[in-house]
Amino acid sequence: MAKVNYETVIVLSTKQGEEGIKALIEKFQTLIAQNGTVDSVDEWGKRRLAYEIDHENEGYYVLINFSCEPEFPAELDRVYKITSGILRTLIIKKEQ
């Protein structure tokens, strides 16, 4: 089956410190690489949130562009939901 292009934005909690943030970015890069191809990782860094999430006003934003089989994003979303330190996520299928 043909690979499909996606992008995901992850907003990480800044409470876990730089080491925790780096570890989570590494974890998801590895997970995506095992199931597809990581095209680019763009760390936007610390940004003020539009509204408070879990008593936090700042988040660490990361954009990852990747390509994979159409079944994988559902699994990625499941892993996002059970991982602590994540405030918000978004996975978007890109136009071909």
Side-chain angles (χ1 to χ4, degrees):
M1 186 169 281
K3 288 190 174 185
V4 181
N5 292 325
Y6 294 92
E7 70 180 20
T8 182
V9 175
I10 314 166
V11 182
L12 303 169
S13 168
T14 56
K15 285 183 179 171
Q16 57 199 344
E18 278 186 41
E19 292 302 310
I21 289 171
K22 281 194 180 356
L24 277 179
I25 294 169
E26 192 71 34
K27 171 185 174 169
F28 288 112
Q29 261 186 273
T30 304
L31 178 65
I32 293 168
Q34 289 169 349
N35 293 280
T37 309
V38 175
D39 300 323
S40 67
V41 178
D42 189 8
E43 293 186 35
W44 295 346
K46 232 184 247 189
R47 300 263 175 102
R48 187 157 179 77
L49 300 172
Y51 54 90
E52 199 173 272
I53 303 172
D54 297 336
H55 307 291
E56 295 194 44
N57 295 314
E58 281 188 329
Y60 192 91
Y61 286 70
V62 182
L63 169 71
I64 303 175
N65 288 295
F66 64 100
S67 53
C68 64
E69 301 296 324
E71 301 79 38
F72 175 64
E75 172 64 11
L76 181 60
D77 196 43
R78 185 189 73 79
V79 175
Y80 281 159
K81 284 183 171 70
I82 61 173
T83 304
S84 63
I86 292 184
L87 299 177
R88 287 287 185 271
T89 61
L90 180 66
I91 303 171
I92 300 172
K93 181 179 174 183
K94 293 168 80 174
E95 292 297 316
Q96 297 297 337

